[in-house]
Amino acid sequence: MHLERFFAAQHAACHASDVYEGRTPSSDRVLGGLSEAQLRMRPGPGLNSLVWLLWHMARTEDVAVNLVVAARAQVLDDTWMRRMNVGHRHMGTGMTADEVAELSAGADIAGVRAYRSAVGR
């Protein structure tokens, strides 16, 4: 398999179906039927919620792939920050437990999912 096709297949498996139409990626199967409470829940002390993980993955891809690898501007702008109801431009690495709790409780889940898809496209 050509390296670019391999990368695209792996990328597709991690994104929602609106990024790669015609496929049912694992993210749709895993996250599709979860409630808002389940997406916000932190399963234990020091652990992150699923909405935090979605935001973190999107931020990491936006910075590492869009900015560094593809040499494109990041997708994140003030409009996305308002839509997600997230006040952090960083990727979340090193956030305190209180900051993770605040983002998990306050993030707009639909906004985070839409941002992640925009980054994936």
Side-chain angles (χ1 to χ4, degrees), residues 7 11 15 19-20 57-77 80 91 114-121:
F7 176 77
H11 188 258
H15 278 279
V19 175
Y20 289 91
M57 288 186 296
R59 286 299 301 132
T60 301
E61 184 174 343
D62 202 4
V63 172
V65 176
N66 285 341
L67 188 61
V68 177
V69 176
R72 294 187 301 235
Q74 292 183 53
V75 172
L76 185 71
D77 59 16
W80 276 112
M91 296 184 299
Y115 169 65
R116 188 158 191 283
S117 291
V119 169
R121 280 191 290 282

Side-chain angles (χ1 to χ4, degrees), residues 18-70:
D18 63 343
V19 175
Y20 289 91
E21 294 187 27
R23 298 183 186 197
T24 305
S26 58
S27 64
D28 284 359
R29 289 191 305 270
V30 171
L31 302 174
L34 297 179
S35 69
E36 183 174 318
Q38 289 170 316
L39 290 166
R40 293 185 188 284
M41 182 192 72
R42 295 178 68 198
L47 300 177
N48 301 320
S49 68
L50 290 172
V51 71
W52 186 93
L53 290 169
L54 287 171
W55 169 79
H56 174 69
M57 288 186 296
R59 286 299 301 132
T60 301
E61 184 174 343
D62 202 4
V63 172
V65 176
N66 285 341
L67 188 61
V68 177
V69 176

